[in-house]
Amino acid sequence: MIGWLQSWLPAPASAHAAEFDRVLAAAHVEGLVVFASWLAVFVLILVRFRARRGAAPGTPAGAWPLVAIAAVVAGDVWLLAGSALPAWYRRATPPPAPANEVRVVAEQFAWNVHYPGPDGVFGRTNRAFVGAADPVGIDRRDPAAHDDFVLIGVLVVPEGRPTLVHLSSKDVIHGFTLATMRVKVDVTPGLPITTWFTPVTTGTWEVGCSQLCGLGHYRMRALFEVRSADAFRAFVADEVARLEPAP
Amino acid sequence: MSAIAVADRRAQAASTGMWLFLASIVMFYGSLFSGFVLLRAGSETWEMPWKTGLSAEWPMAVDHWFRTMWIGFAVMQSRRLSGAGVPVAGLPRYSWLVVLAGVFFFARCVYVAGWLAAQGLVPSASVPLACWYVLNGAVAVLVLGGSIAAVWVALERVPPTQRARRGAMLQRYWMLMLALWLITVTGLYLV
Amino acid sequence: MRLSDHKTIGLAYGVTAAGFLVVGFLLMLLFRWQLAWPGQPMPIATAIFGETNAPGGILLPEFYYQLVAMHGTVMIFLAVVPFATAGLGTYLVPLQIGASGLAFPRLSLLAFVVYAAAGLLMVASFAMPGGAANSGWTSYPPLAILASSGQTAWLAGVFLLGVSSMLSAMTLIATVVAHRAPGLWLRRLPFFVWAQVVTALLLLLAFPALQAAAVFQLMDRVAGTSVFLPSGLAVSNVPLTVSGGGNPLLWQHLFWFLAHPEVYVLVLPAMGIVAEVLTAHARRNLWRYGLMVNAIAALGGWSMVVWAHHMLLTGMGTTMSTFFQITTVVVSVPSVILLTCLVVTLWGGTIRFTTAMCFALAFLPMFGLGGVTGLPLGLAPSNVILHDTYYVLGHFHYLVAPGTLFALFAAVYHWFPKVTGRRLDERLGLVHFAGSFVTMNAIFLPMFLMGLVGVNRRLYDAGLQYELAEPTLRWNASMTWSAVTLGVFQLVFLWNVVRSARRGEAADNPWQATTLEWAAPSPPPPGNFVTPPVVSGGPYRYDEERA
């Protein structure tokens, strides 16, 4: 059952994915057990107490259903306290340093990714510098911005290291979704939102948008790539090399 | 069923209906007010214009005192209308006093809003102002509703006992108005 | 027929809501076409919807998102809730409590007029420039504030619906409080009446929150305020000319403060119906009536403190998300109790598989499926995987479509003799039931798998753009065909209603039900009861008939 369930899910490719999947599986197992046993009793009752000629009237049920209710409640409590909340709390702590950091600026209908470059420091941004090539508006006068670069719709992160994502939105609410990382969070404009994950396998997947954000919502997706640490360094170096020298 | 039993049931239904109506108004106004509280708690600056010198041109304290008085007056008159339990003849005139008080309150709200808007302090100027207009507007409209109800009570030809009962319900409504207004004043101006 | 008679108003609600149900269904068929065959021209679409919506027969996203938003709005606010609460409640509750009418008949009539006007306004907004509301039935700002003028009509409509449901809820509760037959103590009320009273209280207390939210959003749209707009917004990199400083999440709090209780508004009347139908058709008193009444009251009350479990992924702190996860798990307890009590009621009965009974019985597992799939959605870690996917669609449709709708069908089959004095045809009824049961499941069951795969909801092309959605795309055609077939089976039902109303088998109380509404003639005359009833026992006397 658990295996079957997992065969439908996107590949679990982050450090916490397995634990989240276990919560999902546990909830489904409990749900299935409850539903199946309930259904069995239901069908049994329908067959046994169907109207027949000469059917003798039965006696009402005793107190056993109350025990069943108590069992279901106990299962719920166990699920919440034993599985869901611990998993959630472990995610709530900040990522172990040093994390790879990246800014994602959402707008209708694109994910703009601002990389801090090798220095790991984000340069200032300013709306005045926003243009077709730079939807984020990096202020190149800021020394920290010399090695910053922006890619539209391409999110690349290193394997085996936590990535901390600073999310923001220019216009409406978007839903930042990395299915294989088990990451999904609303990007509400005006609110500082961060999320983090540690990819454990390399691969190429998608960034999705899970909140209705307008007519182009259905096509608001981006490339999401996890590369090995070396390949990621090479990628950053390559992108920085492409930057024009600051004026 | 006897006529008395029928009348009892109607009274019970009316009273229940009124309490439910008041509860839904509390929820409505409460939602607006908690929206205001959330917005205010969530923003670093909350610049109401009268904190930056406007109050000199606008005798705010006097104005609030006036408006509070009108509602208080309506509560008192609706209490007399209910005859404090003892039905008396000639009550409709208290009804008209309630109407008058409500209309004065409403007119004053409209005047103040117009005066603010004329200074360029329109709802779209800032979120605090938007809250000011929404909360004041909600109270003003609800108060006007109370006046309309009082007109109805005044004009309806019913036996004195029934009118006294209507008066009692009207009084409950106006007491809620007083409470809402005091909460509004506290939230918008004092805290 | 007096206009302010509760039976007239109830019927008017029923017929109008059924009309909106058809509208909501047709909207669904249109967007299901697009989901099954994305971008394929729909025959005659241009002729009906015009060049702006469907050039060359292809449904544009502009039109698609209107269809989706209005499907949800129409189904919830205009069809299912009015039918289940004001429709059935206004018609049946006075009868079930032995009253000759409503406490406030004129207010009830006014409620109906306001409801119909709001509904017409919302549906007519398709003809406005830019069409109807297109930001989902949830209308999240800032998107909804940027949307075309249909959204303003939506907000005005929602505000009016709040007024309407406040009036009818007030009337219903006051009627139950003051107009019960002599001897009808509270603990002798039929369970259906309890369900209606709790539902009315929910509407009365929760809807004002949405009205307040609608006032704020109207201000943002019409007066240019920024209650829901934070500073620094720019659309297509053009800064908005608003003051900013607002908070988009405030809308979500106010909206879900209504909309979660609204879920129970959809479900509780269904529980009430099922309780009535099960007892009468299985000849068995409710098992633990007192426990059930307590459970339904607890369910109603508790449903007002779970709203933010719809917002677990908005970046809220762990304390708050823990609180709402706990309240969510707690709210499942009374649901489990109710479902168990309903099933155990059948124990020792003699179950007659009439159409009404089949629908009522089918409600139980369908509601159960909707319930157990709510569990992984209510837990934050699995919510991360499933939030805003088709899994959510499957979950709430199981509660409302094969769930509540089946209960409503059960109600129609069960009380049709009460309303008309004639029975619906059983053979056509069973065809209607079997067809609906199979097709409903064929539509909604695949949605759970789509959700697990990770297909997001509200995608115009059903996920064509997404690599991960690829294996699920081909399921959409069979789901759409199932929806069409479901529609065909409803034609059987329609035919049954039309024919049986005139030529059905005459019947006064074909189920030998013992609740008070059957003590009145069928159909009940003005004033309902020939001799005012006096009650001397509980509502269900099926166990006694064996003694």
Side-chain angles (χ1 to χ4, degrees), chain A residues 20 28 38 49 51 57-62 76 84 88-89 92 127 170 173 182 184 186 191 206 208-210 217 221, chain C residues 232 234 237 284 287 313 318 321-322 332 343-344 347-349 351 381 384-385 387-388 391 456 458 465-467 546:
Chain A
F20 273 34
H28 276 86
W38 178 89
F49 298 108
T59 48
D76 281 357
W88 191 239
Y89 272 84
R127 187 185 279 166
K170 289 181 183 179
I173 303 176
R182 305 296 186 263
K184 189 180 287 171
D186 284 0
L191 292 183
E206 297 158 304
C209 179
S210 58
H217 166 59
R221 56 181 284 282
Chain C
N237 292 322
R284 194 38 114 190
W287 189 75
L313 304 185
T318 37
S321 66
T322 304
S332 73
V343 175
V344 176
W347 186 274
I351 301 167
V384 166
I385 302 171
H387 186 70
D388 275 323
Y391 196 92
N456 285 334
R458 290 167 170 168
Q465 305 270 332
Y466 283 89
E467 215 174 299
R546 302 147 192 278

Side-chain angles (χ1 to χ4, degrees), chain A residues 172-183:
Chain A
V172 300
I173 303 176
H174 301 276
F176 180 72
T177 308
L178 300 174
T180 47
M181 296 295 131
R182 305 296 186 263
V183 165

Side-chain angles (χ1 to χ4, degrees), chain A residues 17-52:
Chain A
E19 191 175 20
F20 273 34
D21 288 4
R22 269 199 300 280
V23 176
L24 183 89
H28 276 86
V29 168
E30 188 197 321
L32 195 79
V33 168
V34 169
F35 185 70
S37 36
W38 178 89
L39 197 65
V41 174
F42 182 60
V43 171
L44 180 91
I45 289 176
L46 292 189
V47 173
R48 181 163 159 205
F49 298 108
R50 69 188 186 279
R52 287 168 293 183

Side-chain angles (χ1 to χ4, degrees), chain B residues 7 55 65 110:
Chain B
S55 48
W65 196 83
V110 172

Side-chain angles (χ1 to χ4, degrees), chain C residues 36-62:
Chain C
W37 304 284
Q40 300 281 317
M42 181 193 289
I44 69 166
T46 314
I48 303 175
F49 309 113
E51 272 305 320
T52 46
N53 290 325
I58 295 166
L59 301 185
L60 293 182
E62 285 84 342

Side-chain angles (χ1 to χ4, degrees), chain A residues 55-91:
Chain A
T59 48
W64 56 267
L66 296 177
V67 179
I69 292 172
V72 172
V73 172
D76 281 357
V77 170
W78 165 79
L79 198 60
L80 183 69
S83 179
L85 287 181
W88 191 239
Y89 272 84
R90 268 192 282 280
R91 287 281 295 145

Side-chain angles (χ1 to χ4, degrees), chain B residues 9-10 12-14 16-17 20-21 23-24 27-28 31-32 34-36 38-39 43 123-127 130-131 133-134 152, chain C residues 103-104 159 166 170 173-174 177-180 204-205 208-209 211-212 216 219 223-227 243-247 250 254 257:
Chain B
R9 288 179 164 227
R10 292 183 122 194
Q12 197 188 4
T16 311
L20 293 170
F21 179 60
S24 85
M27 290 305 290
F28 175 67
S31 302
L32 288 177
S34 45
F36 155 73
L38 253 150
L39 286 166
S43 66
S124 59
S126 72
V127 171
C131 288
Y133 277 92
V134 168
W152 190 47
Chain C
F104 318 126
F159 189 90
M166 187 258 288
M170 244 167 72
I173 297 173
V177 167
H179 290 273
R180 298 192 307 278
L204 199 83
L205 297 179
Q211 287 179 295
F216 278 134
M219 289 287 286
T225 58
S226 298
V227 174
S243 71
N247 182 354
L250 174 61
L254 291 173
F257 186 81

Side-chain angles (χ1 to χ4, degrees), chain C residues 63-75:
Chain C
F63 190 43
Y64 174 86
Y65 283 115
Q66 292 172 38
L67 294 173
V68 173
M70 292 307 286
H71 166 74
T73 305
V74 167
M75 283 304 201

